[in-house]
Structures are given as C-alpha cells and as structure tokens.
Amino acid sequence: MTTLFQALEQGYSVAATIHADTPEEVFGLFEPPPANISSMLLHHLQVIVNVRMWHRDTRDYEALCRVSRVTLVTPEPSGVMLVEWDPVSDTFIQSDSHLVRAALREH
C-alpha cells in the first residue's frame, strides 16, 4: 500500500481496484492500521470511480454509478461527486456545486 502512494507522490499514474461503495469508505480503508496512509497523501488518488454490480435473471450487471474528484477543498481530503447515475431515469446527473468548480480548478 505504501508503495502505491509513493508512486503516486512521484507523479506515476496508477489504477487499482478497491472494494468500497463510496469515496469515504475508500478513505476509511487507507487511514487506519495496517495501511496507515496519511490523509495528506490521499489527495493523490485524484479520481474515484464507483461501479456497482448486481444480479438479475441469472445475469450479472455492472454499471458506473458515480465519479468523484478527490480534493483538498475542505481541510481533509474528500470526494466531490462530479456525476452520478440515476437508475430510475437511466441517466447521469452532473453536479454543478461550488465545490465541484473548486475541485476542478485545483489541478
């Protein structure tokens, strides 16, 4: 785990699979022992994409359900939702809050 964040800190691009439903759950996996990743290093994640998998009629389905930007706009790293899938209308809803605009300007 530490090697991953060292690579990110040095500017390398890394993609990884982490089993969590929200950006907050991702942060919760990295901060406590045994990972002990400093919250100041978590902003190197930059983007978290949540993919949801479900089962229906003997088939497995996967769908992109949320894209969040990891930002330091707040004192601690946090996930700012950029787009989120609405399963009822089967469309993506784009967030247009001041936090999104600040997060996109950050880098």
Side-chain angles (χ1 to χ4, degrees):
M1 194 79 65
T2 303
T3 304
L4 169 79
F5 281 91
Q6 288 171 345
L8 290 170
E9 194 169 29
Q10 292 174 10
Y12 288 96
S13 296
V14 176
T17 302
I18 301 164
H19 295 267
D21 291 328
T22 65
E24 293 74 24
E25 284 184 29
V26 172
F27 301 144
L29 291 171
F30 286 130
E31 290 179 325
N36 289 327
I37 301 298
S38 150
S39 64
M40 291 310 295
L41 291 177
L42 290 177
H43 77 280
H44 290 299
L45 293 174
Q46 294 193 14
V47 175
I48 296 173
V49 177
N50 293 108
V51 177
R52 183 170 293 138
M53 183 175 183
W54 70 95
H55 310 281
R56 186 174 69 198
D57 303 330
T58 69
R59 290 187 172 171
D60 292 337
Y61 295 90
E62 290 182 12
L64 177 95
C65 64
R66 181 185 302 116
V67 177
S68 301
R69 175 79 162 88
V70 178
T71 180
L72 291 173
V73 172
T74 57
E76 293 289 318
S78 61
V80 175
M81 191 267 296
L82 302 178
V83 294
E84 187 164 25
W85 178 57
D86 177 9
V88 174
S89 64
D90 194 21
T91 59
F92 283 95
I93 300 167
Q94 183 174 349
S95 178
D96 189 30
S97 73
H98 71 284
L99 285 176
V100 169
R101 290 189 294 277
L104 293 174
R105 280 193 306 267
E106 195 174 278
H107 287 278

